[in-house]
Amino acid sequence: MDQRIVEFIAGLRAAGVRVSIAESADAFRAIEHLGIQERDLFRSALRTTLVKDASDTPAFERLFPLYFGSGGPPMLDPNKELAPGDMENLKDALRDLLGDNDKLRQMMRYLLEGQNPTREEMERLGNQAGVPLARHPYQQQWLTRRMLRQLGMDEEFKDLMRQLIEKLEAMGMSRETMQRLGQMAMENLERLEEQFEQYVGAQIAQNAAKEPQERKPFRGPDLMQKPFGALSEREMAELRNQVRRLAARLRSRAALRQRRGKRGTLDAKRTIRANLRYASVPIELKHKRRHLKPRLILICDVSTSVRPVVEFLLKLVYDLQDQISSTRSFVFIDDIVDVSAEFAQRRPETAVQRVLDNNPPGYYNTNLGFSLVHFCKEFLTTVDHRTTVIVLGDGRNNYLNPRPDALTEIKKRARRVIWFNPEHPRLWGTGDSDMHTYAPVCDAVHEVGNLAQLAEAIDRLFA
């Protein structure tokens, strides 16, 4: 059971639920005291110790039965319902009809003889259906149907059932018995499907948990490579579901770098002072403290062309708040707006939606130059030597004054200025784009045309 709990915790983490080592230890201590005999108590103990955010409860409730379920309801046994003579007739009829068809014989053992599929049979059917390659919950239903088709659950099965009824009728089986047999077969089919579904769900959760947490380069589903502008509404919704998991991976990588860099470099002056009492023999080494957590200011273009990127950037950054010292957020189209208060009071997904709703695109022109000047007048004091300023936009000013001097003013106070641009570099400087004016002022410019590129760019902030 300990190993099953460890796998369950790994499954929660893979689903985007943050579970620390201390919380895992709490779960084991709770189970040690409460035991596993009472299922509801066992479930409550795990939920109380492992889930600290209400939004993570659906993931817990989805995964718990996959790891600690019974594997689905057992099959009904016709031997307990039918007379011995009827069972003999049924076996004789099946023997005549099935011949050497092994897969239909296996199906009939489940449906009409009440045998439950063994673990080995599940794994064989799952491998044939492609279960080991599955990583996402939405594949569960599709793979379950594929496993059923591996048993011949198609037109061939329907023909067999029709022939079986005709044969049993010719052998003298009563209509009531055949009706009862048909009901049991349908009931067993539903139970078999439920067993397959639970098996597939558990395998998908385990496959996802085994995914490496740190890979280079950053990879993800195909949709992550698709440009934001080419995504359909359905694909956008699917990517939104991926964001929390993506944030969990970025958080793990940032936390790992934080631990590695915690010790810092050698502080020669402090080392000499500390070792004066040892005749300057360096017995005690002192290291410089490194503050790796960045302090961020986001300046985001929320005009029509950049809005999808803004949504994902804000969600990712605010999901990573435990790895960031502080964050202030501003949006602009024709003027700068401070939206930080939205994120102080609400969860990121709610706050992002409110920001976008309150700043809709319209028939007014994007004016980054004026927005930067306004930022310098009113908000420049929010920037200091520890601040990384991120400007997200395509750099298109509708042929208005780009005011690079305002961006230079911001850079003088900031630790660094980084630009995220959703356009391909070939388009920079074309038409009303002022990217070639802004780029020399920046410490780095990253293309963020899709979610994979955006994740890479955010990941570099913690390097």
Side-chain angles (χ1 to χ4, degrees):
M1 180 53 72
D2 287 355
Q3 181 59 33
R4 182 65 60 88
I5 295 174
V6 170
E7 292 173 357
F8 177 59
I9 292 171
L12 287 174
R13 287 172 173 158
V17 180
R18 295 178 57 199
V19 182
S20 68
I21 294 176
E23 290 160 351
S24 303
D26 288 343
F28 278 102
R29 277 195 291 272
I31 300 305
E32 185 179 347
H33 286 286
L34 299 175
I36 61 173
Q37 299 303 318
E38 295 186 37
R39 181 178 172 82
D40 290 342
L41 197 58
F42 173 63
R43 185 181 197 135
S44 298
L46 289 181
R47 185 172 51 220
T48 304
T49 52
L50 299 178
V51 176
K52 53 189 172 297
D53 192 320
S55 63
D56 293 331
T57 302
F60 178 92
E61 298 297 339
R62 177 176 62 81
L63 291 174
F64 182 86
L66 298 179
Y67 282 87
F68 304 107
S70 59
M75 297 294 187
L76 298 175
D77 185 1
N79 287 290
K80 299 178 181 176
E81 299 282 339
L82 304 182
D86 290 333
M87 280 304 299
E88 283 300 320
N89 287 338
L90 175 61
K91 291 179 180 178
D92 291 341
L94 288 175
R95 194 178 301 112
D96 292 343
L97 290 173
L98 293 175
D100 297 330
N101 193 330
D102 291 335
K103 68 178 184 181
L104 282 178
R105 186 181 293 115
Q106 186 178 1
M107 171 70 95
M108 289 303 170
R109 280 205 308 272
Y110 300 148
L111 302 187
L112 297 178
E113 298 180 17
Q115 291 187 13
N116 291 293
T118 64
R119 183 71 185 180
E120 291 73 20
E121 290 171 339
M122 288 270 204
E123 290 176 350
R124 180 174 55 78
L125 291 169
N127 289 338
Q128 292 172 351
V131 172
L133 302 177
R135 298 289 186 275
H136 307 288
Y138 66 80
Q139 295 174 294
Q140 185 176 6
Q141 294 292 329
W142 177 68
L143 288 168
T144 300
R145 290 195 296 273
R146 287 200 66 177
M147 288 181 67
L148 288 172
R149 282 200 294 272
Q150 295 295 327
L151 288 172
M153 182 54 68
D154 49 22
E155 291 300 323
E156 190 179 6
F157 174 75
K158 294 178 182 177
D159 289 341
L160 175 65
M161 290 302 292
R162 181 177 49 76
Q163 295 175 34
L164 178 62
I165 292 172
E166 292 173 355
K167 197 167 188 66
L168 290 175
E169 193 170 17
M171 296 171 76
M173 183 175 286
S174 68
R175 185 169 295 277
E176 292 75 15
T177 303
M178 285 193 292
Q179 191 173 13
R180 177 58 187 147
L181 187 63
Q183 290 173 349
M184 293 181 66
M186 292 305 298
E187 177 72 17
N188 276 340
L189 178 59
E190 291 178 3
R191 291 172 179 237
L192 181 66
E193 186 171 354
E194 192 168 341
Q195 289 186 25
F196 282 0
E197 193 172 333
Q198 288 210 16
Y199 167 79
V200 172
Q203 292 302 307
I204 288 175
Q206 291 175 19
N207 293 342
K210 292 175 184 174
E211 280 277 279
Q213 293 296 311
E214 192 168 3
R215 294 189 298 181
K216 295 180 181 180
F218 199 93
R219 296 184 185 280
D222 291 341
L223 278 181
M224 287 181 60
Q225 315 293 334
K226 192 170 181 178
F228 286 112
L231 293 171
S232 65
E233 280 300 318
R234 185 186 61 79
E235 290 170 333
M236 285 286 287
E238 192 170 328
L239 274 187
R240 289 185 186 106
N241 292 330
Q242 299 286 336
V243 164
R244 292 195 67 206
R245 188 176 174 188
L246 182 60
R249 292 173 61 186
L250 288 170
R251 185 183 299 111
S252 298
R253 294 159 68 119
L256 182 61
R257 293 193 189 105
Q258 179 98 359
R259 286 195 295 272
R260 288 172 177 168
K262 194 173 181 180
R263 191 172 180 82
T265 57
L266 181 69
D267 188 332
K269 293 181 179 177
R270 288 181 61 222
T271 299
I272 292 171
R273 284 199 298 269
N275 290 280
L276 287 175
R277 53 182 167 171
Y278 306 122
S280 297
V281 177
I283 296 175
E284 293 182 15
L285 299 180
K286 300 294 182 181
H287 295 84
K288 293 179 180 176
R289 292 186 179 276
R290 298 182 63 187
H291 300 283
L292 297 179
K293 289 186 178 181
R295 179 179 295 172
L296 300 183
I297 285 183
L298 307 177
I299 301 175
C300 304
D301 182 353
V302 288
S303 60
T304 305
S305 58
V306 193
R307 288 175 80 84
V309 196
V310 174
E311 176 184 343
F312 287 106
L313 172 66
L314 290 175
K315 282 182 178 176
L316 282 171
V317 167
Y318 279 93
D319 274 342
L320 293 168
Q321 280 304 288
D322 57 339
Q323 300 299 322
I324 298 171
S325 176
S326 65
T327 303
R328 290 286 300 267
S329 299
F330 301 84
V331 298
F332 71 90
I333 296 180
D334 59 343
D335 195 3
I336 199 83
V337 179
D338 185 358
V339 295
S340 306
E342 295 284 356
F343 294 92
Q345 302 167 4
R346 298 174 181 84
R347 291 190 56 79
E349 54 271 19
T350 306
V352 169
Q353 193 57 51
R354 282 179 58 87
V355 167
L356 295 178
D357 290 344
N358 294 337
N359 297 275
Y363 294 101
Y364 36 91
N365 290 331
T366 302
N367 192 340
L368 174 57
F370 178 79
S371 300
L372 290 174
V373 171
H374 187 182
F375 179 89
C376 289
K377 286 182 179 177
E378 194 165 340
F379 304 109
L380 194 59
T381 54
T382 61
V383 182
D384 61 21
H385 68 285
R386 287 185 54 196
T387 306
T388 296
V389 178
I390 299 173
V391 182
L392 169 60
D394 53 16
R396 295 189 178 275
N397 268 305
N398 291 298
Y399 301 103
L400 300 170
N401 188 345
R403 296 302 302 268
D405 56 309
L407 188 62
T408 304
E409 193 67 23
I410 295 171
K411 186 184 177 183
K412 287 178 182 175
R413 294 178 60 92
R415 177 169 173 253
R416 53 181 175 167
V417 174
I418 299 174
W419 195 293
F420 289 179
N421 193 327
E423 287 190 342
H424 193 281
R426 286 198 303 267
L427 298 176
W428 298 355
T430 63
D432 59 347
S433 171
D434 291 314
M435 267 315 294
H436 288 166
T437 303
Y438 290 126
V441 184
C442 301
D443 295 282
V445 180
H446 301 306
E447 180 191 357
V448 292
N450 56 48
L451 188 55
Q453 291 176 338
L454 180 61
E456 287 278 359
I458 294 175
D459 193 39
R460 291 192 191 106
L461 295 176
F462 303 98

